[in-house]
Amino acid sequence: MNSPTTTPSDDGTGLVPTVNRDAEAGRAGFYERARSQHLAPLWRVLHGLVTETPQPRCVPAHWRYEDVRPFVMEACHQISTEEAERRVLVFENPGLPGQSRITQSLFAGFQIILPGETAPAHRHVASALRFIIEGRDAYTAVGGEKTMMLPGDFVITPSWTWHDHGNVGSEPMIWLDGLDMHIVNLLAASFREGYPGKVHPVDRPEGAAMAEAGTNLLPVDQDYGTLTSPIFNYPYDRTREALDRLSRFREISPWHGHKMRYVNPVNGGWAMPTIATCMQLLPKGFESRPYRSTDSTVFTVVEGHGTSRVGDQVFHWGPHDLFVVPSWTTVQHATATDDAVLFSYSDRAVQDKLDLFREEKL
Ligand code: 1HN
């Protein structure tokens, strides 16, 4: 990981206030001798290690789809899916350049797959989500079951499951890839494997997962040895309908609008063990109250237009834009003339399990 940052109350040295700065020069020899034994004084770094408040190194950021899409299309002329393995343009947080991070803990990229192309089967310990941006008639196959994908669908590739993708239609498909490999790598727990063939055999009918787990019923004797939801495609038509029905009778949250979390029907937890995913409806003319939380969050716009104030920045967004709200940074959303729908993902699923999550509703 990177070197720790300092807190605003520090003078930049990271020294705690009780350390006598004049006396530090006299300790230089001691520090040098200690370093030869790979020992270091905590008092020189304490405040940077244990900060008073979150000090995210990621910054608020916004990508407009109209700016990004041409690059995604151009990537198709630059490289084939075959050569690239996955043709993905990575969203790099401006505060974390060259690290393939959209937040400190999470990855985001746009993947494009052209008609007739396939992306070869592989598996990895890192979990992935796909959120479909545009296109139709492309599929992903996960653990021997295919699912066709449509815009707004939220699709899960659980840890260590074989997966390949293909486009059998006549137009490109673009989706957002969200992965947790930075969390896996922090813990040095990564494995990856290519499948010996191009595609993994499909041995379950399409719709099997939805039949087994998608109707508030579960097979009575099924044991689930994983924290990942057995549903691997949460289709947008169902999500959108749920939000619409909810908005007709339920009191709106002043901070979130109508916000729903994707759940694992087996245990009621987040759909993925490491990445929390949500969809929210902001009705037209809505202005949210200020909110902050410790989970840095990636938003993508599914429908509508609006404005989000993130810290001291203001983002005007429209369909398929992406924006980031760093940890403990105040966010406020506003809509004007149309309803808006936002998909979001964050590391809250990890923070909840580790009792780290905090939020503030102002
Ligand atoms: C990956 O395996 C996929 O399977 C997409 O489609 C994006 C980004 C980093 C590492 C592995 C995929 C990825 C990825």
Side-chain angles (χ1 to χ4, degrees):
M1 294 291 286
N2 302 309
S3 59
T5 54
T6 56
T7 67
S9 58
D10 284 333
D11 59 6
T13 63
L15 284 171
V16 306
T18 53
V19 171
N20 183 325
R21 272 133 230 264
D22 297 331
E24 276 293 286
R27 299 178 185 129
F30 168 66
Y31 293 156
E32 208 174 301
R33 281 181 287 109
R35 192 167 60 238
S36 73
Q37 295 301 315
H38 306 286
L39 296 168
L42 175 63
W43 56 89
R44 290 195 61 82
V45 292
L46 178 63
H47 281 192
L49 286 177
V50 182
T51 61
E52 281 175 24
T53 56
Q55 300 295 316
R57 289 187 288 275
C58 83
V59 296
H62 173 211
W63 288 265
R64 279 184 195 81
Y65 194 53
E66 64 189 54
D67 296 332
V68 172
R69 191 178 186 279
F71 285 91
V72 175
M73 298 308 298
E74 192 183 339
C76 301
H77 302 291
Q78 299 285 348
I79 195 162
S80 66
T81 287
E82 186 148 52
E83 184 183 352
E85 187 165 334
R86 298 294 189 263
R87 194 198 285 114
V88 176
L89 283 183
V90 180
F91 293 96
E92 292 209 319
N93 189 284
L96 300 159
Q99 300 177 41
S100 300
R101 295 174 201 262
I102 191 160
T103 69
Q104 248 163 270
S105 60
L106 293 171
F107 171 98
F110 271 168
Q111 180 163 176
I112 181 162
I113 180 160
L114 296 176
E117 284 188 326
T118 54
H122 67 196
R123 63 179 176 176
H124 33 70
V125 163
S127 299
L129 68 83
R130 328 275 167 209
F131 187 77
I132 315 311
I133 302 294
E134 66 166 88
R136 52 177 306 107
D137 301 323
Y139 65 85
T140 188
V142 176
E145 182 180 332
K146 259 185 192 175
T147 185
M148 299 303 292
M149 300 182 286
L150 286 170
D153 291 0
F154 159 54
V155 178
I156 302 173
T157 303
S159 180
W160 208 239
T161 52
W162 294 110
H163 55 285
D164 50 74
H165 320 296
N167 185 336
V168 292
S170 55
E171 51 188 277
M173 180 177 272
I174 298 174
W175 66 70
L176 170 66
D177 285 313
L179 285 95
D180 63 1
M181 82 284 271
H182 299 302
I183 300 169
V184 175
N185 290 341
L186 170 70
L187 303 170
S190 177
F191 292 88
R192 172 177 59 82
E193 202 172 27
Y195 190 70
K198 206 170 177 192
V199 293
H200 184 264
V202 169
D203 57 10
R204 280 161 60 86
E206 195 176 332
M210 192 53 98
E212 280 179 343
T215 54
N216 295 317
L217 295 160
L218 295 169
V220 70
D221 281 333
Q222 178 88 26
D223 285 327
Y224 295 91
T226 161
L227 292 175
T228 306
S229 172
I231 303 170
F232 74 111
N233 187 347
Y234 292 72
Y236 187 54
D237 56 358
R238 286 198 185 192
T239 308
R240 188 68 183 82
E241 190 187 348
L243 285 171
D244 185 55
R245 285 175 182 250
L246 193 79
S247 70
R248 291 173 194 216
F249 71 91
R250 204 168 188 278
E251 201 181 328
I252 193 164
S253 158
W255 298 278
H256 300 305
H258 295 288
K259 187 168 184 176
M260 306 280 270
R261 60 188 186 92
Y262 289 92
V263 298
N264 175 349
V266 175
N267 60 16
W270 297 102
M272 301 172 71
T274 47
I275 305 179
T277 49
C278 288
M279 192 78 97
Q280 72 199 94
L281 172 66
L282 305 174
K284 64 181 175 196
F286 178 71
E287 204 172 314
S288 72
R289 293 186 55 81
Y291 174 83
R292 62 179 178 173
S293 58
T294 51
D295 58 330
S296 305
T297 305
V298 180
F299 288 87
T300 187
V301 183
V302 191
E303 295 178 28
H305 298 79
T307 301
S308 297
R309 176 179 289 278
V310 183
D312 57 9
Q313 301 218 39
V314 176
F315 301 139
H316 299 285
W317 41 256
H320 315 313
D321 286 9
L322 232 70
F323 62 94
V324 177
V325 179
S327 170
W328 218 235
T329 304
T330 302
V331 59
Q332 261 185 295
H333 306 294
T335 50
T337 52
D338 51 1
D339 292 352
V341 179
L342 302 178
F343 174 81
S344 60
Y345 69 99
S346 80
D347 57 19
R348 179 172 174 175
V350 172
Q351 295 199 22
D352 279 351
K353 290 181 183 70
L354 303 182
D355 268 355
L356 300 174
F357 180 75
R358 286 202 203 190
E359 64 183 346
E360 200 168 70
K361 292 172 171 169
L362 303 163

